[in-house]
Amino acid sequence: MNIPVLTDILSANNLIAEQNRKLLDDHRIYMVNLLSSPGAGKTTFIEETIKRLDLAISVIEGDVASDVDAVRIKKLGIPVVQINTGGSCHLNAPMIQKALENLPLHKTDLIFIENVGNLICPAGYKLGENISLVMNSTTEGDDKILKYPGIFRVATSLIINKIDLLPYLDYSLEKINENFLKLNPQARIFPLSSKTGEGFDEWIKWIRTGVDNFCNKL
Ligand code: MG
Ligand code: ZN
């Protein structure tokens, strides 16, 4: 019987995700789980957010192999932990639990998790985050929401990256907005360019408000 086994794995994961959440609440830390396909621009987006956001930020990098993204984040003087999943195509709550042991929690306001580039299974694994963001870049085409609805349905917000390339691509912002809001009517959409900085003011204002509201509620 495969189904009960799968259920057990997911409920064990959710239990540890709740422990992660409790630990972060105790330290008043807001955590964001960033999801996208490979090459959407997650690392550059995190770098540009770090430069603009006046908060103590730490980063957890998830990749199948290598530490290239963690090295980039470290150059900004930000505490970072690299998780190599060794083949697994998503992060799970035990991996995050381990990573949190290696971050300066007493000196952190906000943690970004850069999940493994994959639009399918990361959506099924809670990590203890406050919100999940899904990113779609203009170079990926505007049909991803129709092809991978699950991940777009669980997201709190959609980041549309690389809008500086819109003049060169057949990518319809209208189509993306419409398809996303059909799945997820409460969610926000932030079209932006991590290269030119266009659209970042709105995003920074929104995430800053999210962190402040979270801290006020605790
Ligand atoms: Mg990356
Ligand atoms: Zn996976």
Side-chain angles (χ1 to χ4, degrees):
M1 292 282 283
N2 288 325
I3 290 166
V5 174
L6 178 61
T7 308
D8 286 349
I9 291 170
L10 286 177
S11 60
N13 182 79
N14 288 349
L15 202 70
I16 296 179
E18 279 169 30
Q19 291 170 9
N20 291 345
R21 186 63 259 153
K22 169 85 174 60
L23 177 70
L24 295 170
D25 281 350
D26 290 346
H27 289 83
R28 304 169 71 83
I29 297 171
Y30 195 78
M31 188 159 75
V32 176
N33 185 13
L34 179 56
L35 311 160
S36 81
S37 51
K42 294 187 291 302
T43 314
T44 308
F45 169 75
I46 291 173
E47 288 171 328
E48 293 307 310
T49 297
I50 288 167
K51 289 177 193 166
R52 290 169 171 83
L53 199 52
D54 181 23
L55 290 170
I57 299 173
S58 292
V59 177
I60 298 172
E61 285 289 341
D63 282 294
V64 171
S66 91
D67 64 353
V68 290
D69 285 352
V71 168
R72 286 172 57 182
I73 298 295
K74 205 166 174 132
K75 279 193 184 137
L76 299 173
I78 296 293
V80 57
V81 175
Q82 175 79 55
I83 298 171
N84 281 155
T85 62
S88 176
C89 48
H90 58 269
L91 295 175
N92 61 34
M95 294 174 189
I96 298 302
Q97 187 173 48
K98 195 95 197 122
L100 292 175
E101 288 170 12
N102 293 287
L103 287 174
L105 299 185
H106 52 290
K107 285 190 288 190
T108 299
D109 304 315
L110 170 64
I111 295 175
F112 276 100
I113 299 170
E114 179 176 342
N115 215 309
V116 180
N118 176 347
L119 286 177
I120 306 170
C121 47
Y125 287 82
K126 289 195 174 69
L127 305 176
E129 70 272 30
N130 295 84
I131 60 167
S132 60
L133 300 178
V134 64
M135 173 178 281
N136 179 247
S137 73
T138 56
T139 48
E140 293 173 73
D142 55 18
D143 55 1
K144 293 295 174 291
I145 294 174
L146 298 174
K147 290 183 176 176
Y148 304 96
I151 204 160
F152 290 94
R153 198 176 282 124
V154 302
T156 311
S157 294
L158 171 65
I159 307 291
I160 301 175
N161 195 19
K162 308 187 189 179
I163 59 167
D164 52 301
L165 298 177
L166 278 173
Y168 313 103
L169 300 165
D170 292 323
Y171 182 97
S172 165
L173 278 180
E174 292 71 30
K175 199 156 106 185
I176 282 281
N177 284 351
E178 190 189 320
N179 288 335
F180 183 63
L181 292 175
K182 240 185 254 169
L183 285 179
N184 205 337
Q186 314 299 333
R188 287 286 306 268
I189 302 174
F190 297 99
L192 52 81
S193 166
S194 301
K195 185 131 186 137
T196 66
E198 187 183 354
F200 261 79
D201 288 351
E202 279 299 296
W203 148 247
I204 293 293
K205 208 187 296 166
W206 184 81
I207 187 67
R208 178 79 217 209
T209 305
V211 175
D212 289 345
N213 288 346
F214 161 74
C215 286
N216 291 338
K217 252 190 269 166
L218 283 176

